[in-house]
Amino acid sequence: MERAFERIKPGEQPPPPPPELLAWVRDTTYGSCAGLLYGAWHAHAAEKRATLDANEHATVRKHRLWKRTISDSTLHGVRLGSFVSVFSAVRLGMEKRRETSDMWNIVGAGVLTSALTGLAIPGSVVTRLKGAALGVAVGGMATLPLGYAVQEIETMLPDAIVEAAQTMRGNETTASVVPDVTGMFIERVEQELEEFTKDQSKQRKGRKWFS
C-alpha cells in the first residue's frame, strides 16, 4: 500500500507491482473465466431441457440462445469472479500479515468470504444474519479439509520448489525467473529411487548371508 502513494520522479522507472497483487489478479481472472464457462454451459443445458416450439423459427431460437448465453455467462462470471477475488485477497492478506503459509489462511479466507456472501442475501436483517452464520459454518466445513490437503501437498513437494516459490513471492527482482519445477521433481524422484534400490540390495544381501 505504501507504493500506491509513492512519488516517482521524472526519468525514474516505476517500481514493479508486489507479488501479492499479481497473484490476486491471476486468481480473479481464473475465477471470472471459470464463471463465464459455467454460465455458457448452464445456458446451453437449459435450452436443451426446454420444450421446443414447432412454430418457432430457427433464427429466433438461435437469437434467444445467444442472449441467454451472454446473460448467464456475465452473471456467473461476475458472481464467481467476485467470490474468488475476495477469497484470494483475504488469503493473501492473512499470509502477508501472519508471515506464514498454512491451512489457516485458506480456512480464514473461506469463512470470511462465505459470511460476506451470506450477508448479501436479499431480505431482512435477521435473514442476512442467518445467511452469514450459515456461510461461516459451510465455509469452515468446506475449506478445512481443502486447506489441510493443500498444506499436505506442499509438505510433499521437494524443498527446492517450496523455497523457489517463497523466493519469488518475497523477492520482487527475481519475480520474472521461473524455476524448473519439472527438473526438480524428476531429480527428487531419481534420488528416492536410488535410495530405495540401495535399501533393497542391502536387504537381499542380508537374506543371502543368513540363508
Side-chain angles (χ1 to χ4, degrees), residues 30-49 64-81:
Y30 288 164
S32 301
C33 292
L36 290 173
L37 294 176
Y38 174 76
W41 173 83
H42 182 270
H44 282 268
E47 284 294 329
K48 288 183 178 180
R49 291 193 301 266
R64 187 184 69 250
L65 176 61
W66 277 108
K67 286 181 62 177
R68 183 163 188 173
T69 301
I70 295 173
S71 176
D72 289 2
S73 298
T74 305
L75 179 63
H76 288 89
V78 171
R79 285 179 175 177
L80 187 57

Side-chain angles (χ1 to χ4, degrees), residues 121-184:
I121 296 176
S124 61
V125 178
V126 178
T127 304
R128 292 174 183 268
L129 292 177
K130 289 181 179 179
L134 181 62
V136 169
V138 174
M141 290 187 297
T143 54
L144 189 60
L146 176 63
Y148 180 76
V150 172
Q151 182 176 342
E152 290 299 316
I153 291 174
E154 289 181 353
T155 55
M156 292 172 60
L157 290 175
D159 296 336
I161 299 178
V162 178
E163 292 177 359
Q166 293 177 354
T167 303
M168 290 179 65
R169 290 181 182 179
N171 191 359
E172 298 169 1
T173 59
T174 59
S176 60
V177 180
V178 180
D180 188 7
V181 178
T182 305
M184 294 178 183

Side-chain angles (χ1 to χ4, degrees), residues 44-61:
H44 282 268
E47 284 294 329
K48 288 183 178 180
R49 291 193 301 266
T51 304
L52 297 178
D53 188 2
N55 298 324
E56 186 179 22
H57 197 269
T59 305
V60 178
R61 190 181 303 116

Side-chain angles (χ1 to χ4, degrees), residues 107 110-119 129-143:
V107 174
V111 169
L112 183 58
T113 307
S114 300
L116 293 176
T117 304
L119 285 174
L129 292 177
K130 289 181 179 179
L134 181 62
V136 169
V138 174
M141 290 187 297
T143 54

